[in-house]
């Protein structure tokens, strides 16, 4: 669980306080920095804290066990992931991706379109929103919100929703009615 994630009770209270709104459009949204286009959330895996390790490496080091790094570098060479989304173990680092729990496209639709570039870069690289998962499940999730997708590992629904709400609250993002309903339901599984 990323540091700073709200506990279940705080997540429920915070979710109730979020502004409910219809998601905005994706006009102007560019995720990938290809063909000379500027990404609206900046360079992927930017080292926002200036410690010399990019955010991808930091998340891998945090979420994997038995980590070994490439000599003289921050990059993770090997380790094992107990994938929270599937409940399976992944032992090949190249098969692990970093998921934005609140997808960048959803951030854009729920408020980030109006932010300055620096705030978007900070949000895209916020360790509270980043979780190491298997590449296959990350691809199946894509830009879906909780009303459209939840982790196949049902026992992770509570944690997933707590992370999601933490990020929405931290950045003052709105929530769509169906999204809010799905989060409320998932948070009831927290016990």
């Amino acid at each position: 669980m990323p540091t700073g994630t709200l506990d279940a009770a705080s997540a429920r209270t915070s979710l109730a306080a979020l502004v409910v709104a219809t998601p905005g459009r994706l006009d102007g949204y560019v995720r990938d920095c290809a063909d000379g286009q500027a990404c609206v959330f900046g360079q992927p895996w930017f080292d926002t804290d200036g410690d010399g390790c990019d955010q991808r490496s930091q998340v891998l080091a945090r979420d994997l066990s038995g980590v070994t790094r490439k000599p003289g570098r921050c990059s993770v060479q090997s380790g094992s992931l107990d994938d929270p989304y599937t409940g399976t173990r992944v032992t090949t680092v190249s098969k692990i991706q970093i998921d934005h729990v609140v997808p960048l496209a959803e951030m854009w639709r729920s408020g980030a379109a109006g932010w300055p570039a620096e705030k978007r870069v900070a949000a895209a690289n916020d360790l509270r929103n980043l979780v190491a998962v298997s590449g296959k499940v990350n691809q199946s999730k894509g830009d879906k919100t909780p009303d459209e997708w939840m982790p196949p590992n049902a026992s992770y629904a509570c944690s997933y929703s707590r992370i999601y709400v933490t990020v929405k609250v931290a950045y003052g993002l709105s929530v769509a009615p169906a999204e809010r309903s799905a989060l409320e339901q998932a948070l009831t599984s927290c016990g």
Side-chain angles (χ1 to χ4, degrees):
M1 182 76 67
T3 300
T5 300
L6 294 170
D7 62 44
S10 298
R12 283 190 282 271
T13 302
S14 297
L15 175 60
L18 287 175
V19 171
V20 178
T22 301
R25 299 168 51 101
L26 284 174
D27 296 348
Y29 175 73
V30 178
R31 164 75 189 250
D32 298 317
C33 304
D35 302 323
Q37 292 183 347
C39 313
V40 296
F41 284 92
Q43 173 190 340
W45 313 129
F46 187 73
D47 176 17
T48 57
D49 59 11
D51 68 354
C53 293
D54 65 42
Q55 300 307 81
R56 174 180 165 72
S57 297
Q58 290 189 36
V59 173
L60 289 172
R62 179 193 72 196
D63 293 356
L64 275 63
S65 59
V67 170
T68 57
R69 295 183 185 268
K70 295 180 181 176
R73 301 177 63 193
C74 292
S75 298
V76 172
Q77 181 173 311
S78 64
S80 295
L81 172 69
D82 290 321
D83 180 2
Y85 286 5
T86 63
T88 61
R89 179 164 277 228
V90 182
T91 57
T92 306
V93 173
S94 64
K95 292 184 178 183
I96 298 169
Q97 294 182 2
I98 309 302
D99 180 42
H100 287 91
V101 176
V102 177
L104 298 180
E106 171 53 25
M107 283 188 170
W108 185 263
R109 290 188 301 253
S110 61
W115 295 349
E118 303 80 35
K119 185 174 181 180
R120 287 197 298 264
V121 169
N125 291 284
D126 189 328
L127 294 174
R128 293 174 296 183
N129 192 37
L130 303 175
V131 178
V133 297
S134 71
K136 188 174 181 178
V137 76
N138 190 39
Q139 295 301 311
S140 75
K141 176 193 171 198
D143 290 333
K144 296 179 179 105
T145 55
D147 53 305
E148 302 165 320
W149 186 94
M150 286 296 278
N153 177 13
S155 68
Y156 194 70
C158 169
S159 297
Y160 180 82
S161 299
R162 287 173 50 208
I163 296 166
Y164 198 97
V165 171
T166 297
V167 173
K168 283 275 186 163
V169 169
Y171 290 97
L173 298 167
S174 63
V175 63
E179 178 186 15
R180 182 178 179 179
S181 178
L183 289 165
E184 287 172 341
Q185 182 176 0
L187 287 170
T188 63
S189 71
C190 295

mmCIF file with all atom_site columns, all heavy atoms in Angstrom, residues 1-2 8 27-28 33 36 49 61 66 101 131 133 141 146 178 181:
data_model
loop_
_atom_site.group_PDB
_atom_site.id
_atom_site.type_symbol
_atom_site.label_atom_id
_atom_site.label_alt_id
_atom_site.label_comp_id
_atom_site.label_asym_id
_atom_site.label_entity_id
_atom_site.label_seq_id
_atom_site.pdbx_PDB_ins_code
_atom_site.Cartn_x
_atom_site.Cartn_y
_atom_site.Cartn_z
_atom_site.occupancy
_atom_site.B_iso_or_equiv
_atom_site.pdbx_formal_charge
_atom_site.auth_seq_id
_atom_site.auth_comp_id
_atom_site.auth_asym_id
_atom_site.auth_atom_id
_atom_site.pdbx_PDB_model_num
ATOM 1   N N   . MET A 1 1   ? 0.860   -1.179 0.000   1.00 0.00 ? 1   MET A N   1
ATOM 2   C CA  . MET A 1 1   ? 0.000   0.000  0.000   1.00 0.00 ? 1   MET A CA  1
ATOM 3   C C   . MET A 1 1   ? 0.901   1.235  0.000   1.00 0.00 ? 1   MET A C   1
ATOM 4   O O   . MET A 1 1   ? 1.759   1.359  0.874   1.00 0.00 ? 1   MET A O   1
ATOM 5   C CB  . MET A 1 1   ? -0.887  -0.057 1.240   1.00 0.00 ? 1   MET A CB  1
ATOM 6   C CG  . MET A 1 1   ? -1.860  1.072  1.359   1.00 0.00 ? 1   MET A CG  1
ATOM 7   S SD  . MET A 1 1   ? -3.283  0.972  0.278   1.00 0.00 ? 1   MET A SD  1
ATOM 8   C CE  . MET A 1 1   ? -4.121  -0.434 0.930   1.00 0.00 ? 1   MET A CE  1
ATOM 9   N N   . PRO A 1 2   ? 0.715   2.137  -0.933  1.00 0.00 ? 2   PRO A N   1
ATOM 10  C CA  . PRO A 1 2   ? 1.547   3.345  -0.940  1.00 0.00 ? 2   PRO A CA  1
ATOM 11  C C   . PRO A 1 2   ? 1.408   4.160  0.344   1.00 0.00 ? 2   PRO A C   1
ATOM 12  O O   . PRO A 1 2   ? 0.312   4.268  0.908   1.00 0.00 ? 2   PRO A O   1
ATOM 13  C CB  . PRO A 1 2   ? 1.002   4.130  -2.143  1.00 0.00 ? 2   PRO A CB  1
ATOM 14  C CG  . PRO A 1 2   ? 0.387   3.100  -3.026  1.00 0.00 ? 2   PRO A CG  1
ATOM 15  C CD  . PRO A 1 2   ? -0.173  2.073  -2.086  1.00 0.00 ? 2   PRO A CD  1
ATOM 16  N N   . ALA A 1 8   ? -9.755  3.198  5.540   1.00 0.00 ? 8   ALA A N   1
ATOM 17  C CA  . ALA A 1 8   ? -11.082 2.968  4.961   1.00 0.00 ? 8   ALA A CA  1
ATOM 18  C C   . ALA A 1 8   ? -12.111 4.002  5.406   1.00 0.00 ? 8   ALA A C   1
ATOM 19  O O   . ALA A 1 8   ? -12.869 4.528  4.580   1.00 0.00 ? 8   ALA A O   1
ATOM 20  C CB  . ALA A 1 8   ? -11.558 1.565  5.300   1.00 0.00 ? 8   ALA A CB  1
ATOM 21  N N   . ASP A 1 27  ? -10.332 16.383 -25.108 1.00 0.00 ? 27  ASP A N   1
ATOM 22  C CA  . ASP A 1 27  ? -9.739  17.350 -26.039 1.00 0.00 ? 27  ASP A CA  1
ATOM 23  C C   . ASP A 1 27  ? -8.414  17.853 -25.480 1.00 0.00 ? 27  ASP A C   1
ATOM 24  O O   . ASP A 1 27  ? -8.336  18.284 -24.329 1.00 0.00 ? 27  ASP A O   1
ATOM 25  C CB  . ASP A 1 27  ? -10.675 18.547 -26.248 1.00 0.00 ? 27  ASP A CB  1
ATOM 26  C CG  . ASP A 1 27  ? -11.986 18.154 -26.915 1.00 0.00 ? 27  ASP A CG  1
ATOM 27  O OD1 . ASP A 1 27  ? -12.086 17.018 -27.417 1.00 0.00 ? 27  ASP A OD1 1
ATOM 28  O OD2 . ASP A 1 27  ? -12.911 18.986 -26.908 1.00 0.00 ? 27  ASP A OD2 1
ATOM 29  N N   . GLY A 1 28  ? -7.354  17.774 -26.276 1.00 0.00 ? 28  GLY A N   1
ATOM 30  C CA  . GLY A 1 28  ? -6.043  18.258 -25.874 1.00 0.00 ? 28  GLY A CA  1
ATOM 31  C C   . GLY A 1 28  ? -5.201  17.255 -25.114 1.00 0.00 ? 28  GLY A C   1
ATOM 32  O O   . GLY A 1 28  ? -4.040  17.495 -24.828 1.00 0.00 ? 28  GLY A O   1
ATOM 33  N N   . CYS A 1 33  ? 4.560   10.695 -25.610 1.00 0.00 ? 33  CYS A N   1
ATOM 34  C CA  . CYS A 1 33  ? 5.424   11.704 -26.224 1.00 0.00 ? 33  CYS A CA  1
ATOM 35  C C   . CYS A 1 33  ? 5.999   11.130 -27.513 1.00 0.00 ? 33  CYS A C   1
ATOM 36  O O   . CYS A 1 33  ? 7.154   10.717 -27.556 1.00 0.00 ? 33  CYS A O   1
ATOM 37  C CB  . CYS A 1 33  ? 6.560   12.075 -25.271 1.00 0.00 ? 33  CYS A CB  1
ATOM 38  S SG  . CYS A 1 33  ? 6.021   12.646 -23.671 1.00 0.00 ? 33  CYS A SG  1
ATOM 39  N N   . GLY A 1 36  ? 7.292   14.034 -31.661 1.00 0.00 ? 36  GLY A N   1
ATOM 40  C CA  . GLY A 1 36  ? 7.586   15.407 -31.266 1.00 0.00 ? 36  GLY A CA  1
ATOM 41  C C   . GLY A 1 36  ? 6.477   16.098 -30.503 1.00 0.00 ? 36  GLY A C   1
ATOM 42  O O   . GLY A 1 36  ? 6.584   17.280 -30.187 1.00 0.00 ? 36  GLY A O   1
ATOM 43  N N   . ASP A 1 49  ? 11.566  13.818 -7.213  1.00 0.00 ? 49  ASP A N   1
ATOM 44  C CA  . ASP A 1 49  ? 12.192  14.199 -5.943  1.00 0.00 ? 49  ASP A CA  1
ATOM 45  C C   . ASP A 1 49  ? 13.691  14.452 -6.066  1.00 0.00 ? 49  ASP A C   1
ATOM 46  O O   . ASP A 1 49  ? 14.355  14.777 -5.092  1.00 0.00 ? 49  ASP A O   1
ATOM 47  C CB  . ASP A 1 49  ? 11.903  13.175 -4.839  1.00 0.00 ? 49  ASP A CB  1
ATOM 48  C CG  . ASP A 1 49  ? 12.389  11.771 -5.185  1.00 0.00 ? 49  ASP A CG  1
ATOM 49  O OD1 . ASP A 1 49  ? 13.132  11.603 -6.166  1.00 0.00 ? 49  ASP A OD1 1
ATOM 50  O OD2 . ASP A 1 49  ? 12.012  10.838 -4.459  1.00 0.00 ? 49  ASP A OD2 1
ATOM 51  N N   . ALA A 1 61  ? 11.203  -0.914 -6.668  1.00 0.00 ? 61  ALA A N   1
ATOM 52  C CA  . ALA A 1 61  ? 11.957  -1.193 -5.433  1.00 0.00 ? 61  ALA A CA  1
ATOM 53  C C   . ALA A 1 61  ? 11.019  -1.277 -4.229  1.00 0.00 ? 61  ALA A C   1
ATOM 54  O O   . ALA A 1 61  ? 11.243  -2.084 -3.324  1.00 0.00 ? 61  ALA A O   1
ATOM 55  C CB  . ALA A 1 61  ? 13.017  -0.127 -5.215  1.00 0.00 ? 61  ALA A CB  1
ATOM 56  N N   . GLY A 1 66  ? 12.922  -9.162 -2.768  1.00 0.00 ? 66  GLY A N   1
ATOM 57  C CA  . GLY A 1 66  ? 14.151  -9.745 -3.299  1.00 0.00 ? 66  GLY A CA  1
ATOM 58  C C   . GLY A 1 66  ? 14.745  -8.933 -4.432  1.00 0.00 ? 66  GLY A C   1
ATOM 59  O O   . GLY A 1 66  ? 15.282  -9.486 -5.398  1.00 0.00 ? 66  GLY A O   1
ATOM 60  N N   . VAL A 1 101 ? -3.202  4.207  -10.685 1.00 0.00 ? 101 VAL A N   1
ATOM 61  C CA  . VAL A 1 101 ? -4.484  3.726  -10.167 1.00 0.00 ? 101 VAL A CA  1
ATOM 62  C C   . VAL A 1 101 ? -5.606  4.637  -10.668 1.00 0.00 ? 101 VAL A C   1
ATOM 63  O O   . VAL A 1 101 ? -6.598  4.167  -11.218 1.00 0.00 ? 101 VAL A O   1
ATOM 64  C CB  . VAL A 1 101 ? -4.457  3.628  -8.625  1.00 0.00 ? 101 VAL A CB  1
ATOM 65  C CG1 . VAL A 1 101 ? -5.824  3.230  -8.079  1.00 0.00 ? 101 VAL A CG1 1
ATOM 66  C CG2 . VAL A 1 101 ? -3.392  2.614  -8.183  1.00 0.00 ? 101 VAL A CG2 1
ATOM 67  N N   . VAL A 1 131 ? 1.345   1.800  -8.686  1.00 0.00 ? 131 VAL A N   1
ATOM 68  C CA  . VAL A 1 131 ? 1.402   0.448  -8.141  1.00 0.00 ? 131 VAL A CA  1
ATOM 69  C C   . VAL A 1 131 ? 1.970   -0.482 -9.202  1.00 0.00 ? 131 VAL A C   1
ATOM 70  O O   . VAL A 1 131 ? 1.541   -0.444 -10.359 1.00 0.00 ? 131 VAL A O   1
ATOM 71  C CB  . VAL A 1 131 ? -0.008  -0.036 -7.718  1.00 0.00 ? 131 VAL A CB  1
ATOM 72  C CG1 . VAL A 1 131 ? 0.025   -1.461 -7.202  1.00 0.00 ? 131 VAL A CG1 1
ATOM 73  C CG2 . VAL A 1 131 ? -0.613  0.891  -6.677  1.00 0.00 ? 131 VAL A CG2 1
ATOM 74  N N   . VAL A 1 133 ? 2.222   -3.841 -11.107 1.00 0.00 ? 133 VAL A N   1
ATOM 75  C CA  . VAL A 1 133 ? 1.278   -4.924 -11.411 1.00 0.00 ? 133 VAL A CA  1
ATOM 76  C C   . VAL A 1 133 ? 1.772   -5.658 -12.661 1.00 0.00 ? 133 VAL A C   1
ATOM 77  O O   . VAL A 1 133 ? 2.660   -5.185 -13.358 1.00 0.00 ? 133 VAL A O   1
ATOM 78  C CB  . VAL A 1 133 ? -0.157  -4.388 -11.654 1.00 0.00 ? 133 VAL A CB  1
ATOM 79  C CG1 . VAL A 1 133 ? -0.710  -3.712 -10.408 1.00 0.00 ? 133 VAL A CG1 1
ATOM 80  C CG2 . VAL A 1 133 ? -0.215  -3.435 -12.835 1.00 0.00 ? 133 VAL A CG2 1
ATOM 81  N N   . LYS A 1 141 ? -6.838  -3.044 -17.924 1.00 0.00 ? 141 LYS A N   1
ATOM 82  C CA  . LYS A 1 141 ? -7.448  -1.920 -17.216 1.00 0.00 ? 141 LYS A CA  1
ATOM 83  C C   . LYS A 1 141 ? -7.465  -0.678 -18.095 1.00 0.00 ? 141 LYS A C   1
ATOM 84  O O   . LYS A 1 141 ? -8.481  0.001  -18.227 1.00 0.00 ? 141 LYS A O   1
ATOM 85  C CB  . LYS A 1 141 ? -6.702  -1.626 -15.917 1.00 0.00 ? 141 LYS A CB  1
ATOM 86  C CG  . LYS A 1 141 ? -7.251  -0.405 -15.209 1.00 0.00 ? 141 LYS A CG  1
ATOM 87  C CD  . LYS A 1 141 ? -6.341  0.074  -14.114 1.00 0.00 ? 141 LYS A CD  1
ATOM 88  C CE  . LYS A 1 141 ? -6.846  1.411  -13.606 1.00 0.00 ? 141 LYS A CE  1
ATOM 89  N NZ  . LYS A 1 141 ? -5.882  2.167  -12.879 1.00 0.00 ? 141 LYS A NZ  1
ATOM 90  N N   . PRO A 1 146 ? -13.325 2.875  -11.809 1.00 0.00 ? 146 PRO A N   1
ATOM 91  C CA  . PRO A 1 146 ? -13.816 1.748  -11.017 1.00 0.00 ? 146 PRO A CA  1
ATOM 92  C C   . PRO A 1 146 ? -15.196 1.213  -11.400 1.00 0.00 ? 146 PRO A C   1
ATOM 93  O O   . PRO A 1 146 ? -15.488 0.056  -11.131 1.00 0.00 ? 146 PRO A O   1
ATOM 94  C CB  . PRO A 1 146 ? -13.818 2.298  -9.587  1.00 0.00 ? 146 PRO A CB  1
ATOM 95  C CG  . PRO A 1 146 ? -12.741 3.310  -9.593  1.00 0.00 ? 146 PRO A CG  1
ATOM 96  C CD  . PRO A 1 146 ? -12.844 3.962  -10.941 1.00 0.00 ? 146 PRO A CD  1
ATOM 97  N N   . ALA A 1 178 ? -21.417 7.174  -11.452 1.00 0.00 ? 178 ALA A N   1
ATOM 98  C CA  . ALA A 1 178 ? -21.203 5.723  -11.492 1.00 0.00 ? 178 ALA A CA  1
ATOM 99  C C   . ALA A 1 178 ? -19.873 5.340  -10.846 1.00 0.00 ? 178 ALA A C   1
ATOM 100 O O   . ALA A 1 178 ? -19.767 4.317  -10.170 1.00 0.00 ? 178 ALA A O   1
ATOM 101 C CB  . ALA A 1 178 ? -21.258 5.211  -12.930 1.00 0.00 ? 178 ALA A CB  1
ATOM 102 N N   . SER A 1 181 ? -20.344 5.509  -7.079  1.00 0.00 ? 181 SER A N   1
ATOM 103 C CA  . SER A 1 181 ? -21.119 4.364  -6.615  1.00 0.00 ? 181 SER A CA  1
ATOM 104 C C   . SER A 1 181 ? -20.249 3.107  -6.535  1.00 0.00 ? 181 SER A C   1
ATOM 105 O O   . SER A 1 181 ? -20.318 2.349  -5.567  1.00 0.00 ? 181 SER A O   1
ATOM 106 C CB  . SER A 1 181 ? -22.299 4.139  -7.558  1.00 0.00 ? 181 SER A CB  1
ATOM 107 O OG  . SER A 1 181 ? -23.052 3.018  -7.169  1.00 0.00 ? 181 SER A OG  1
#
